[in-house]
Amino acid sequence: MTPARSDIPPALGDVFRVGHARALGVTHARLRARDLDSPFWGVRTGAERADAETTDAEARRRVLDYVPRMVPGSFFTHISAAVLWRIPVPVAPDGPVHIGVHAPHRQPRGSGVRGHKLLPELALLRDLDGVSVACPASTWAQLASMLSMRDLVAVGDAIVRVPRLHGGLPGDPASALGTIEQLQAAIDAGRRVGIDKLREALPLIRPGASSRPETHLRLDLDDGVLPTPALDFEVRDDAGRLLGITEIAYPEFRVAVEYEGDHHRTSKDQWNRDIEKQRAYAAAGWAMVRLTSEHLYGGGIPARTLVRAALRRAGWRPNAG
């Protein structure tokens, strides 16, 4: 999107520094007009950009609005780096943008900015669409000072997850944002805030979870009594035909656990696919436990209770493993 009025030079792009605009002849009065927004000191954007489709998109837009103010040697870090890597984290769209520098440079200051001075070995950098960002493994390690254990595991799950290709086929492992080995290397890189939490979280990270609630669900089900589930499991009928891919499954007992976000309710196409998937599973002898945020975060029957009941109906007993 270009700035709102034709009298703003197109060369300035979607978001620009006031100094650049003045150099191109834009007046102070024009830069104070209501159709331009000022997300940070010395930066302007089109005011209509304030609304975004989702919280994540709005948070990502706010981070990118800071790009014109970045100086050589600075990079996005912590929550802001996670947002740019599209790693699921609890984020407030109007929260501070996290900017890092390597010691001994001085971290940035200002309204809406949180600066971090980091040793180079604690913040390995990657280029992401022309922007300098802490690499996913470094980002995970930095977040230990900010996130709960459950969310730290969810971030790790997102980093090591191998996305499936269109059509449901397993993707190339190289498409993951990082590996368990890289997460371990981030722990070993040196002293940092929350390192004990990182060491506790690492063994809990597993490939296969495709969302933050799915990680939370897996951790809730890992009570030391229920059997260990398979993640991102392909359910097939006796003829080998793929019926669906299930986030959490107990193949030995033919029990599938599906976490359904709000889009499963609001999207007619998704709802129809869900109904057909459940019908196909049932025809193949699989039981499906469908869960929502009510079961996971309170207000409904706990997810663990419903899964335990389904496994018992399928023949599982606590001493059976």
Side-chain angles (χ1 to χ4, degrees), residues 235 237 243 254 256 274-288:
V235 176
D237 62 17
L243 304 179
R254 293 201 171 195
D274 290 341
I275 295 299
E276 176 57 25
K277 184 177 183 179
Q278 185 169 12
R279 183 205 63 76
Y281 277 31
W286 280 72
M288 181 182 291

Side-chain angles (χ1 to χ4, degrees), residues 6-314:
S6 60
D7 56 347
I8 299 294
L12 289 173
D14 186 48
V15 53
F16 54 90
R17 294 195 68 154
V18 168
H20 294 164
R22 292 289 294 127
L24 292 176
V26 183
T27 66
H28 281 301
R30 180 65 185 88
L31 292 169
R32 291 194 296 269
R34 291 184 178 181
D35 65 339
L36 296 178
D37 189 28
S38 179
F40 301 100
W41 184 87
V43 175
R44 295 292 186 272
T45 70
E48 72 274 13
R49 299 174 67 251
D51 294 329
E53 292 183 350
T54 66
T55 299
D56 290 343
E58 189 173 353
R60 194 156 43 249
R61 182 172 291 178
R62 175 168 171 77
V63 171
L64 292 175
D65 281 347
Y66 189 81
V67 169
R69 286 204 54 80
M70 295 185 77
V71 299
S74 63
F75 51 90
F76 290 109
T77 185
H78 290 74
I79 290 287
S80 297
V83 166
L84 293 182
W85 288 115
R86 300 178 185 268
I87 294 170
V89 288
V91 59
D94 58 350
V97 172
H98 294 261
I99 303 296
V101 294
H102 286 149
H105 298 290
R106 177 181 294 181
Q107 66 263 43
R109 301 178 184 276
S111 177
V113 178
R114 184 171 175 184
H116 304 268
K117 184 188 295 185
L118 301 164
L119 294 173
E121 59 268 26
L122 299 185
L124 304 182
L125 305 183
R126 293 255 300 270
D127 180 274
L128 181 62
D129 297 329
V131 177
S132 185
V133 186
C135 76
S138 291
T139 299
W140 173 74
Q142 292 157 7
L143 291 173
S145 64
M146 306 178 70
L147 299 184
S148 68
M149 175 63 67
R150 285 158 60 91
D151 279 331
L152 198 59
V153 175
V155 169
D157 281 358
I159 289 173
V160 303
R161 177 176 179 261
V162 177
R164 285 181 173 268
L165 303 175
H166 179 71
L169 298 175
D172 182 350
S175 63
L177 291 175
T179 65
I180 292 291
E181 291 75 20
Q182 289 169 342
L183 299 182
Q184 181 66 64
I187 294 176
D188 296 339
R191 297 178 58 186
R192 63 170 89 232
V193 177
I195 196 164
D196 289 339
K197 190 188 296 186
L198 293 171
R199 290 170 177 150
E200 185 179 349
L202 186 64
L204 301 176
I205 294 170
R206 291 180 58 188
S210 60
S211 72
R212 179 169 167 252
E214 287 176 25
T215 294
H216 292 172
L217 175 58
R218 172 172 64 82
L219 294 176
D220 282 353
L221 296 178
D222 185 16
D223 60 359
V225 178
L226 294 176
T228 300
L231 305 183
D232 199 31
F233 185 79
E234 296 180 354
V235 176
R236 298 179 180 273
D237 62 17
D238 292 338
R241 182 171 64 95
L242 180 65
L243 304 179
I245 300 167
T246 290
E247 299 96 340
I248 294 177
Y250 299 89
E252 180 182 356
F253 303 98
R254 293 201 171 195
V255 171
V257 182
E258 299 267 330
Y259 179 82
E260 300 184 355
D262 200 48
H263 72 284
H264 288 263
R265 176 186 62 85
T266 58
S267 169
K268 180 179 179 181
D269 289 342
Q270 182 65 58
W271 176 255
N272 287 331
R273 287 194 297 270
D274 290 341
I275 295 299
E276 176 57 25
K277 184 177 183 179
Q278 185 169 12
R279 183 205 63 76
Y281 277 31
W286 280 72
M288 181 182 291
V289 182
R290 301 175 71 181
L291 303 172
T292 69
S293 60
E294 291 292 300
H295 305 109
L296 186 55
Y297 299 114
I301 301 173
R304 185 189 298 114
T305 300
L306 295 174
V307 173
R308 181 189 292 263
L311 287 169
R312 281 187 173 275
R313 288 193 296 270

